[in-house]
Amino acid sequence: MAINKRLIPRASGLTLSEHYNVLSWTGDGTGNRNITGLSFQPDQVWMYRYFTNSTYHDRIASWSILGDSSNGYPKHFEFWNADSPKDGSSSKLRSLLSNGIEVGSYFNSSGHTYFAVCWKHGGNSSNPDVNTDFQCAQTTYSGDGTYRNRDHNLGATESVAVHVKSLNSGHQWTTRPAGVSATDFCTLNTGYGCYDYYWAWQDQAPSSNTFRVGAVDYVNASNKNYFAWITAQVSGFSSFGTYTGNGDATTGPTITTGFKPSFIIAGTAKEGQNTYPFICTNRHQSGDTGLNITDMNWTGKWSTNSASVDFLSTGFRVNSQYSTYNSNGDSYWYMAWGDPDILG
């Protein structure tokens, strides 16, 4: 299977665990609990409950640039719906610690399994808040209904992905994954998939320091506010690109990243293919083969019924016969982050 990503030397002097890691824990039923083990204070946290025998799993996402609610708890999105950020909750994410997170009872039910994917941005009040070492940024802006550039200030030299969410209710996550045509508009929280839409990015790919927004509600309407998360590939630590499906349920396409992943996101890059992106991590599962996945907007159990993923020493494999994940000849985008236990 031909892959459109070539291996290039990893960034020198970078320690992955100082910028990114995945925490996992088993709930003990206490009202609040510190989950530690990070080498940094996170600025971005995605929290999930993992189930294989239930019809519901919990998930939220929080970014430090969104600030705290009046009650002092971090604001969060109910992952990935179209609402505005929710007020912080004492039962969910209570605080961002210097070495982890504090969770409440909602993410600490006795015997249940949880994980949190954590990133470090600049860790300050700048807007955009930028981590140029690990190539990720977060920013907010007010829409004005015009075509214009917005800063991300990464100084990126490799694949750049942009994800925008209105801070007002009623709008989905809009994304332009790396490797997907600049003419395309993709979604993270709906089954709209990927399709040609000039008004999102004005058919312009991100530059090394800016991204283009159009004159539509999704990314830049007048009298609305927006949040953007921008990421760029860091060779040897993260890999963004595309793969071509082969429709094989047991030996799917192998995507070469140059490292063993700890977390991946992937979705269709085929225009008009209305499917949800999916995620997979091995931190809460046993082994690295036949890993369960979940669609990003699906609240049902994690399952291998439609697809499974194998994490390999230099990449990953997607095994499925379904169009959501691996239809023969179709194109898919992916984002993968390495394993800090291996990469340091």
Side-chain angles (χ1 to χ4, degrees):
M1 175 59 60
I3 301 299
N4 73 338
K5 302 296 293 181
R6 64 182 177 87
L7 294 181
I8 48 184
R10 56 186 279 180
S12 60
L14 182 69
T15 300
L16 180 61
S17 61
E18 294 178 355
H19 304 268
Y20 159 87
N21 215 329
V22 184
L23 299 171
S24 62
W25 66 98
T26 300
D28 63 11
T30 56
N32 57 285
R33 179 180 173 188
N34 289 350
I35 309 298
T36 60
L38 299 181
S39 299
F40 58 91
Q41 179 168 314
D43 294 300
Q44 177 180 342
V45 178
W46 297 10
M47 295 169 56
Y48 270 83
R49 177 162 55 170
Y50 174 72
F51 275 132
T52 58
N53 58 354
S54 172
T55 59
Y56 183 78
H57 69 256
D58 305 308
R59 67 272 192 272
I60 65 170
S62 179
W63 283 262
S64 62
I65 204 168
L66 299 177
D68 293 341
S69 304
S70 58
N71 57 17
Y73 301 117
K75 292 181 180 178
H76 61 269
F77 291 107
E78 298 286 354
F79 218 172
W80 285 82
N81 67 25
D83 292 338
S84 56
K86 303 288 187 180
D87 284 342
S89 169
S90 61
S91 66
K92 295 182 180 178
L93 179 61
R94 295 174 58 89
S95 62
L96 305 174
L97 308 175
S98 62
N99 61 348
I101 57 176
E102 182 187 11
V103 300
S105 57
Y106 197 82
F107 282 94
N108 196 36
S109 296
S110 182
H112 292 171
T113 302
Y114 303 88
F115 71 90
V117 190
C118 304
W119 289 264
K120 176 184 177 181
H121 294 290
N124 54 55
S125 58
S126 298
N127 191 12
D129 188 18
V130 180
N131 182 338
T132 54
D133 291 325
F134 196 55
Q135 296 285 272
C136 56
Q138 55 181 352
T139 186
T140 59
Y141 60 94
S142 298
D144 66 3
T146 68
Y147 294 109
R148 59 175 175 155
N149 291 332
R150 300 300 307 163
D151 292 337
H152 60 71
N153 292 351
L154 288 175
T157 58
E158 294 195 46
S159 303
V160 180
V162 178
H163 317 275
V164 175
K165 174 72 177 71
S166 170
L167 296 178
N168 305 93
S169 62
H171 295 289
Q172 61 211 21
W173 280 89
T174 303
T175 187
R176 189 270 177 184
V180 172
S181 170
T183 67
D184 285 349
F185 164 104
C186 302
T187 62
L188 291 180
N189 67 306
T190 72
Y192 294 160
C194 193
Y195 55 94
D196 192 313
Y197 195 72
Y198 173 85
W199 296 273
W201 319 116
Q202 205 179 3
D203 290 357
Q204 295 185 34
S207 74
S208 60
N209 284 298
T210 65
F211 61 98
R212 189 74 168 172
V213 292
V216 291
D217 277 2
Y218 298 129
V219 294
N220 191 35
S222 297
N223 302 316
K224 292 189 177 180
N225 297 312
Y226 295 86
F227 163 79
W229 172 44
I230 307 95
T231 55
Q233 175 179 288
V234 181
S235 299
F237 296 92
S238 59
S239 178
F240 306 159
T242 60
Y243 67 89
T244 302
N246 67 7
D248 195 313
T250 57
T251 309
T254 297
I255 296 85
T256 302
T257 62
F259 52 80
K260 178 182 174 182
S262 60
F263 180 65
I264 65 169
I265 314 170
T268 183
K270 179 182 178 181
E271 291 183 2
Q273 182 66 61
N274 297 333
T275 58
Y276 293 107
F278 69 93
I279 68 170
C280 183
T281 178
N282 63 349
R283 289 306 180 95
H284 58 289
Q285 303 186 57
S286 176
D288 292 312
T289 60
L291 295 172
N292 291 309
I293 67 167
T294 187
D295 291 349
M296 289 190 68
N297 196 43
W298 179 240
T299 58
K301 65 181 181 179
W302 289 62
S303 177
T304 59
N305 289 343
S306 299
S308 67
V309 170
D310 301 332
F311 281 1
L312 312 173
S313 61
T314 57
F316 63 98
R317 181 184 296 117
V318 180
N319 306 308
S320 177
Q321 294 177 319
Y322 291 83
S323 61
T324 305
Y325 319 103
N326 184 34
S327 183
N328 187 31
D330 284 357
S331 181
Y332 299 84
W333 59 266
Y334 74 89
M335 302 173 67
W337 288 269
D339 190 334
D341 292 343
I342 298 173
L343 297 174

